[in-house]
DNA sequence: AGTGACAATGCATACGATTGCATGCATAAA
DNA sequence: TTTATGCATGCAATCGTATGCATTGTCACT
């Protein structure tokens, strides 16, 4: 009585167990279960015996073992940039939907826009191979990402960032164009001449690209840009508050409108402005980017550039699965639409 | 030239590769890398050779293979009930933090409170074994969950639901007590005598438990409950709106305060009331539960019962890891604090 | 010098599945 | 009756790692 063996076999049933119970060999069980494999014939009799045994033992194939043998894990990994940013929720949901259709599991990770978390994620997916990766890189360099891909041969779909690699597909939103148009709209249709920006030229992606579009639009219209009105922003709610605080401290001439590079910052800015006694949009108008759920909660309701995160998620996922199906697939750069939604904040 | 072999070895390096390069056997490499294993001695010389080879080949252990051998995957799975509910974000974050400390990977799934998604999740973690599971069960029966656990011997930590099983630990928030107290506070301190409820007795967990506390509190105070003021609610923003719509359609005598069983529904209710021309809290006050980020975004700012999701997540995770370390650990039922936060909506 | 202890390492096997190849059998063709 | 054909199945190797056991060499001690 060295080991307690009260449980006859307190572990999930294996193929061997099924085989023994059905009175066939273990490979036969495998063939019955993977009947989809063409050109393999199994007698109806043994198929029934095997299925009965499977049923009786409540057998489920061990995906780990299968993955080791086939080098395919039936799993993709997703790294989003900020789980607190509602923008990513429909994306995650859409990805899970597409994955479900193909019987893939999804492993979601959240980088919180922190570099070490991004590195850890890459480390994790090289140690635990997955069939594909979807990610929103913020700090990670394209080169580093490229090296991961060539080293592991893992297809990757990236959101927002252009990465030049034959195994990496990209989905983006022409956000620069959208910001450019929105900025011009603020000037031409709304008559603003003092515009501020939250999320500056030297911040995290996609900051610089969008900020540049903002600056370009104003240059085009020959509207001067007040450097004190270019605020940094880290794409969080708190970041939006901080930007406005900095604005209030460093200048007494407020812009008439603030262009925030995402909704979270826009909302933070609105809250902070209101707490400081300013009226939005009368004293300072605010416009955001993304059209997240909170945009209709905040008062005044947020004028913003809507993206279609569900569409983005679906594009990312289908792109990825197509490449998983055929590594040689030509590289794709997909565009997801965006459009201005005018509510009350600007 | 049957196969293209342009890449000398276009696949991640294995232990065998490292062994060959270092001129030792594969088990030796394994021992060098798992040096933590006590009582195994490796000469400094070979250790250096091996580490050099590891470095040169950029070797990373394959967690799949290791998991197959050791029956430990270094991975836990988390199923949250609604990724759009901010309440779960700090929970997920805390779990990831704790897991990171222990070098575990986390696989997050989102059930969206849909039964089939819950089933799919259980199916996924029985096919792809994990070392532990954290979940927020909504539809799944305790019995089904218990069967999964006994079948697979997987430790589980559950949020909010009492499940009686030696391998299942529970973290909850005494939400019934909190609702009870808040209800009494609304009556005694705020003078309300017409109270409504969003999230009724026969809804999803944790609805019934909290609803019962609401009813109990009023019975205790001998305040009558108007059945037309007991609204169903599915714990989503939309659900809150629908509840108010139903209320407006079915009765013309509005309650003076609405107790929503979570913040998302409370916010939905506020928005819907305002759109219908009512003032919050003057016409109808609203109180929520959770204290999610949006509670301070909505106007009027939401009076609510605050939970501590980060604490909950930490408790769930540490509980789980303790049990992973020792399956025989006595079963624990942990309580996480909650307290009323009075803002402007009630 | 003989013996035992211990350090350092290799050999072989196992984890749970897939898959190329071989084999046995029944049936059809010669 | 003999030979060819194809269906149904078993055998054995393999994926990458961990580990019990055996083996070798070194050293100290009697």
């Amino acid at each position: 009585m060295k080991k307690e063996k009260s449980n006859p076999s307190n572990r999930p049933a294996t193929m061997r167990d099924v085989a023994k119970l059905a009175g066939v060999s273990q490979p036969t069980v495998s063939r019955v279960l993977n009947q989809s494999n063409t050109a393999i014939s199994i007698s109806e009799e043994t198929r029934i015996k095997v299925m009965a045994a499977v049923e009786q033992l409540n057998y489920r194939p061990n995906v780990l073992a299968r993955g080791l043998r086939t080098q395919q894990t039936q799993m993709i990994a997703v790294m989003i940039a900020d789980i607190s940013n509602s923008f990513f929720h429909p994306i995650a949901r859409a990805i899970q939907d597409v994955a479900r259709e193909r019987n893939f599991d999804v492993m979601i990770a959240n980088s919180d826009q922190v570099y070490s978390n991004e590195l850890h994620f890459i480390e994790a997916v090289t140690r635990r191979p997955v069939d594909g990766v979807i990610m929103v890189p913020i700090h990670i360099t394209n080169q580093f990402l490229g090296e991961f891909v060539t080293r592991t041969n893992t297809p990757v779909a990236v959101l927002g960032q252009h990465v030049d690699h034959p195994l990496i597909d990209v989905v983006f939103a022409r956000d620069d164009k959208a910001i450019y148009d929105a900025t011009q709209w603020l000037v031409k249709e709304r008559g603003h001449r003092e515009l501020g920006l939250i999320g500056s030229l030297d911040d995290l992606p996609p900051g610089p690209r969008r900020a540049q579009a903002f600056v370009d639009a104003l240059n085009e219209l020959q509207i001067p840009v007040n450097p004190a009105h270019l605020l940094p922003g880290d794409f969080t709610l708190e970041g939006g508050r901080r930007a406005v605080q900095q604005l209030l401290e460093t200048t007494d001439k407020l812009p008439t409108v603030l262009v925030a590079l995402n909704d979270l910052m826009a909302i933070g800015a609105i809250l902070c402005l209101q707490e400081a006694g300013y009226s939005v949009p009368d004293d300072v108008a605010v416009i955001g980017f993304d059209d997240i759920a909170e945009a209709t909660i905040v008062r005044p309701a947020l004028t913003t550039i809507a993206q279609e995160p569900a569409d983005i998620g679906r594009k990312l996922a289908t792109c990825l699965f197509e490449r998983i199906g055929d590594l040689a697939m030509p590289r794709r750069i997909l565009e997801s639409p965006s459009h201005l939604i005018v509510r009350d904040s600007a």
Side-chain angles (χ1 to χ4, degrees), chain A:
Chain A
M1 199 167 120
K2 311 192 74 174
K3 287 187 179 182
E4 286 203 44
K5 268 231 164 181
S6 57
N7 254 352
S9 79
N10 196 354
R11 55 153 181 57
T14 74
M15 270 198 180
R16 238 184 291 278
D17 301 328
V18 175
K20 192 187 297 181
L21 181 59
V24 299
S25 78
Q26 175 258 325
T28 296
V29 177
S30 172
R31 289 194 257 264
V32 169
L33 265 42
N34 305 343
Q35 45 190 342
S36 58
N37 283 12
T38 52
I40 284 187
S41 44
I42 293 285
S43 79
E44 193 56 24
E45 185 188 4
T46 68
R47 173 190 314 281
I48 290 176
K49 278 191 304 184
V50 168
M51 292 313 280
V54 164
E55 189 72 17
Q56 184 176 338
L57 295 178
N58 204 346
Y59 168 79
R60 292 290 181 284
N62 183 322
V63 188
L64 247 68
R66 172 184 295 170
L68 186 58
R69 177 61 225 248
T70 63
Q71 307 286 32
Q72 300 184 27
T73 60
Q74 299 280 95
M75 170 149 160
I76 65 172
V78 178
M79 189 190 76
I80 61 181
D82 180 4
I83 197 183
S84 293
N85 188 339
S86 313
F87 173 62
F88 294 110
H89 302 163
I91 294 182
R93 213 173 265 127
I95 292 173
Q96 287 211 349
D97 289 346
V98 177
R100 171 89 37 105
E101 286 169 19
R102 321 224 174 188
N103 280 317
F104 271 65
D105 290 335
V106 179
M107 169 177 159
I108 302 181
N110 167 36
S111 77
D112 270 334
Q113 306 193 111
V114 173
Y115 185 39
S116 67
N117 289 344
E118 297 187 349
L119 292 180
H120 184 89
F121 174 78
I122 294 292
E123 182 72 17
V125 293
T126 88
R127 302 175 97 107
R128 182 187 308 283
V130 293
D131 291 345
V133 167
I134 296 178
M135 65 182 299
V136 190
I138 302 293
H139 299 89
I140 260 187
T141 66
N142 288 357
Q143 192 197 344
F144 184 85
L145 187 53
E147 279 165 11
F148 159 73
V149 174
T150 31
R151 176 161 27 97
T152 62
N153 254 352
T154 310
V156 172
V158 162
L159 170 58
Q161 194 78 322
H162 282 256
V163 187
D164 193 18
H165 189 289
L167 285 184
I168 303 185
D169 298 300
V170 170
V171 174
F172 74 114
R174 287 309 305 272
D175 47 358
D176 46 359
K177 177 79 162 41
I179 291 278
Y180 183 95
D181 291 345
T183 306
Q184 294 226 337
W185 172 81
L186 286 170
V187 173
K188 293 198 225 164
E189 307 290 325
R190 299 303 217 202
H192 289 284
R193 317 239 356 133
E194 304 274 345
L195 316 242
L197 179 74
I198 301 181
S200 72
L201 282 162
D202 37 42
D203 266 328
L204 310 175
R209 184 177 59 243
R210 296 183 184 176
Q212 189 59 54
F214 170 80
V215 172
D216 287 350
L218 293 186
N219 284 345
E220 170 86 9
L221 295 168
Q222 300 192 323
I223 301 226
V225 184
N226 182 341
H229 292 173
L230 295 179
L231 291 334
D234 63 358
F235 292 84
T236 70
L237 192 78
E238 266 314 304
R241 299 187 104 105
R242 276 195 302 271
V244 168
Q245 274 159 8
Q246 172 178 332
L247 180 69
L248 296 176
E249 285 167 13
T250 57
T251 175
D252 34 37
K253 181 148 176 36
L254 293 183
T256 58
V257 62
L258 278 172
V259 176
L261 295 189
N262 81 348
D263 281 357
L264 234 34
M265 294 194 293
I267 293 171
I270 289 177
L271 295 177
C272 193
L273 283 167
Q274 291 173 338
E275 283 158 18
Y278 293 95
S279 158
V280 178
D282 296 337
D283 296 330
V284 182
V286 175
I287 184 172
F289 193 108
D290 281 348
D291 192 32
I292 61 179
E294 291 89 332
T296 58
I297 293 181
V298 73
R299 287 295 117 93
L302 191 63
T303 293
T304 187
I305 298 161
Q307 299 202 62
E308 300 189 8
D311 176 68
I312 290 174
R314 223 174 304 117
K315 283 199 166 83
L316 283 166
T318 51
C319 231
L320 184 69
F321 281 116
E322 281 173 29
R323 182 168 301 289
I324 288 175
D326 174 14
L327 284 195
M329 176 126 321
R331 187 167 164 255
R332 277 147 307 168
I333 299 183
L334 265 50
E335 200 174 319
S336 186
S338 61
H339 64 278
L340 186 67
I341 294 189
V342 182
R343 298 204 181 91
D344 310 324
S345 73

